[in-house]
Amino acid sequence: MIARLGIAVMRLLAGLPLPVVRAVGAALGAALWMLARSRRHVVRVNLRLCFPDWSEARREQVAREVFVRVAKSWLDRGWLWHGAPDVVRARIHLTGAVDQLAGDTPTLLFAPHFVGMDAGWTALTQQVPRRFVGIYTNQSNATLDAWILAGRHRFGQCRPFGRADGVRGLVSALKGGEVMYLLPDMNFGPEESIFVPFYGLQAATVPSLSRFARLGRARIVPIVSVMTDAGYEVRVLPVWEGFPTDDVTADTALMNERLQAWIDEQPGQYYWVHKRFKTRPPGEPGVY
């Protein structure tokens, strides 16, 4: 019942002017900042660990911005998934080296967890005439699960692969010319991760970018999605040369290093609500 009511609200928001949606998102973000104490603690710890040279005032300002950006991006899914196609296209702008996505060369998109990650996927599947695949985590609520799947696959030719499906199908899709949208910059536990630096700390990181690129003989094209007052700018960055190498650890460390540079440009738009340092190297204490 709650899920259906929430979806109904999102459908209603889809028809409102963007400034109104964003104003509601700002209010929601401010409320969550006050109410979600445990998640507020996570954001503060992440920022303290990654930006120790910042003043406490600056970290607090960015932490509050994170909550507002996350709330706005969530409500934006209303118009991303239910808005008129011409409205969606007008609010999301693909910029940069978009021509790199033409053709059928095996391509792996490195799409970090900025708040605009769903807008990036929507822009690509709506505006780029290629087939896309992504990795999907099923939701525990069946109604919510169906809504998210339908929203993320409303445009173009795209299909999801579950995390339990294994890599064979994904590798086959890459080799077959489908474009893979990959978000490997989160802590998915110690089983499939390696420890590489992230803002000077050893962070459990999934080395899937390097491994999929090698297995699928795919090039890496980074995608950075930025929330703007008019919607989103989805930046297609140049292909990474000389990647992957034979050193998976070095590749994964390079991925984090380049990600840091993009975060530094817009720290309030990164998904700091995630427990990025939950998995610690053996013998090191927890940080949360």
Side-chain angles (χ1 to χ4, degrees):
M1 180 64 182
I2 295 177
R4 293 184 185 279
L5 178 60
I7 293 170
V9 170
M10 296 292 273
R11 288 181 179 274
L12 175 64
L13 289 172
L16 298 178
L18 184 59
V20 175
V21 178
R22 291 285 174 80
V24 175
L28 176 61
L32 291 173
W33 170 260
M34 298 298 297
L35 298 172
R37 296 179 59 186
S38 62
R39 200 53 53 175
R40 186 174 68 213
H41 173 69
V42 170
V43 174
R44 283 172 166 163
V45 170
N46 284 337
L47 293 179
R48 186 175 70 250
L49 292 173
C50 294
F51 303 100
D53 295 335
W54 283 7
S55 68
E56 189 65 31
R58 184 180 182 190
R59 283 197 293 267
E60 197 73 355
Q61 178 185 10
V62 171
R64 289 174 179 269
E65 181 186 350
V66 168
F67 271 77
V68 170
R69 295 283 190 180
V70 168
K72 287 181 177 180
S73 69
W74 178 251
L75 296 187
D76 280 346
R77 287 168 173 83
W79 57 266
L80 285 171
W81 296 348
H82 300 291
D86 58 332
V87 171
V88 174
R89 182 180 289 267
R91 290 179 181 175
I92 309 178
H93 299 280
L94 276 173
T95 64
V98 182
D99 58 332
Q100 293 178 140
L101 302 179
D104 58 2
T105 302
T107 301
L108 185 56
L109 303 179
F110 172 33
H113 278 81
F114 290 102
V115 296
M117 54 191 168
D118 266 297
W121 170 262
T122 297
L124 292 163
T125 55
Q126 183 191 38
Q127 301 178 33
V128 177
R130 288 192 65 173
R131 293 173 297 145
F132 291 85
V133 294
I135 299 175
Y136 179 74
T137 301
N138 293 97
Q139 307 298 309
S140 58
N141 182 287
T143 300
L144 188 63
D145 189 66
W147 175 66
I148 293 174
L149 275 172
R152 287 181 175 166
H153 299 87
R154 70 175 297 205
F155 294 120
Q157 301 180 65
C158 52
R159 55 180 176 145
F161 281 82
R163 293 196 177 277
D165 293 340
V167 303
R168 183 173 298 178
L170 286 165
V171 172
S172 177
L174 269 175
K175 290 182 176 179
E178 294 183 70
V179 180
M180 183 176 175
Y181 196 78
L182 187 65
L183 301 88
D185 57 315
M186 297 189 87
N187 187 339
F188 291 110
E191 292 80 11
E192 299 294 331
S193 299
I194 59 176
F195 285 99
V196 293
F198 181 61
Y199 280 102
L201 293 92
Q202 291 296 309
T205 306
V206 179
S208 55
L209 189 71
S210 176
R211 289 176 175 167
F212 274 122
R214 188 169 57 257
L215 291 171
R217 302 185 183 91
R219 59 184 179 172
I220 304 297
V221 176
I223 301 291
V224 176
S225 299
V226 181
M227 179 182 287
T228 67
D229 291 342
Y232 293 89
E233 178 189 355
V234 180
R235 300 171 181 168
V236 182
L237 304 181
V239 171
W240 283 0
E241 300 294 339
F243 191 102
T245 69
D246 293 331
D247 189 335
V248 173
T249 300
D251 287 346
T252 307
L254 178 63
M255 180 192 81
N256 277 356
E257 179 183 333
R258 292 182 175 176
L259 171 59
Q260 286 177 212
W262 303 329
I263 295 174
D264 288 344
E265 295 176 358
Q266 48 178 9
Q269 295 204 31
Y270 193 60
Y271 208 70
W272 294 114
V273 293
H274 169 66
K275 292 184 178 180
R276 186 63 186 86
F277 303 102
K278 180 178 180 179
T279 302
R280 304 304 305 136
E284 291 196 13
V287 297
Y288 298 108

